[in-house]
Amino acid sequence: MKTQICIIGGGPSGLMLSQLLDRKGIETIVLEKHSREYVLGRIRAGVLEHGFAELMREAGCGARMDTEGEIHDGFEISDNGVLRRVDLKRHSGGSSVVVYGQTELTRDLYDARAAAGGHVIHNVEDVVLHDLNTEGKPWVTYRDGDEIVRIDCDYVIGADGFHGVSRKSIPADVLTEYEKLYPFGWLGVLSRTKPVNPELIYAKSDRGFALCSLRSQVLSRYYIQVPLSDKVEDWSDEAFWDELKARLPDEVAARLETGPSIEKSIAPLRSFVAEPMRWGSLFLAGDAAHIVPPTGARGLNSAASDIYYLYHAMMDHYLKGDDTGLEQYSQKALARVWKAQRFSWWMTSLLHRFPETPGYDQKLQETELAYLFSSDAALASLAENYVGLPF
Ligand code: FAD
Ligand code: DHB
């Protein structure tokens, strides 16, 4: 096969780029390791910043998001039982976020690719990237049963998530990886229950962090901080609800509607950045190049800025013959990626319980939170980062 751009990974990053480029007449093939059902079964992000929502609209995929998604102008922070609201709209100068599940937006992108006759090939095995940094053009192979299929292209986009092959195709002496592991994970539960609060609640408590989020008015998403040694099997639904309630203000716990979990999983918290994000004709995007702890809802939103820069760089290349965007991609993308890293680290440090933290650090954490709610400047900084820095 032959195409202009071969995209590895059919998650939100790969599908979004494919859909945007297709609308400009630029050809792509997307190779996805898993089935569509498997990708849609992974419950992940729920909060989209303004810039991501705009990209969905530009991709012609914003209609369902705009009717079914919820605009949130703020969220609550609970500090050991005391609730305080962060007015995002006021402190960011009029911006807000959209609550719309990653599952739903991925479904919208899959539907749009199918309607446009786009090539998204599922269940590909043994993807290998070739000639990424030689004089000739790159090519990609994958296995389909007993057959090895070859795709010739101009560029390869590595949008295959943290565990994908793309980043690993860059030689170790070229790539620098920066990583920070946190000594805990998030246990998440999805339940067909009415959300406990119209807005999200980020809860700091002596028992550890908790988050009350939602997907719709009948679908709730809750998380609690757990030790890395915990397994999903250790947590019955009843134990989860009891622990969640114990971390929330009494009045919130009293109105929490519980029910059977329809998904339950543990995600370890990690910060990670790989530099550079371009090597020859390979460009990394999204989780393939960087991971944030989920506290600030930045992961998918960081992927969105990579896609925005790549989309514009590819348009400039194919439609205007201008390669400046491609040349500056890594530097531009990384500048924004590191700001999302900083914010996610800050939100994580502010709200979690760190095992064996000395008294001095605990005092600083308390002071940071007290300062936040005493200063419009501090609230403005939180709000501008949460709604998304400009691309
Ligand atoms: P992925 O979604 O990982 O997609 C990569 C795709 O590549 C996958 O479909 C995978 O199957 C495929 N693949 C892998 N290897 C290969 C291969 N060798 N060949 C072909 N295909 C391959 N972000 C937010 O912005 N807001 C939030 O509220 C938020 N909440 C989160 C909550 C949790 C619990 C978690 C775990 C994450 C959360 N995130 C959030 C982060 C967000 O989900 C990710 O940043 C996002 O999925 C990144 O998209 P991606 O397309 O880059 O990577
Ligand atoms: C969700 C996840 C997050 O990491 C976050 O900060 C907010 C919401 C969610 O899954 O709904």
Side-chain angles (χ1 to χ4, degrees), residues 8-14 31-34 39 42 44-47 102 124 127 159-161 164-165 223 267 285-287 294 297-301 303:
I8 319 299
S13 301
L31 298 180
E32 167 56 49
K33 186 178 183 174
H34 294 289
V39 175
R42 290 186 302 217
R44 288 175 158 190
V47 174
Q102 179 169 334
V124 300
V127 169
D160 47 355
V165 292
Y223 299 96
D287 278 17
R298 292 299 82 206
L300 185 56
N301 292 306

Side-chain angles (χ1 to χ4, degrees), residues 43-47 99-102 186 200 202 209 211-215 220-223 293-299 347 386:
I43 308 298
R44 288 175 158 190
V47 174
V99 171
Y100 188 62
Q102 179 169 334
W186 278 17
L200 272 68
Y202 289 84
F209 171 77
L211 171 61
C212 305
S213 183
L214 60 146
R215 291 292 177 272
S220 301
R221 181 68 166 161
Y222 297 104
Y223 299 96
T295 325
R298 292 299 82 206
M347 278 277 277
Y386 194 88

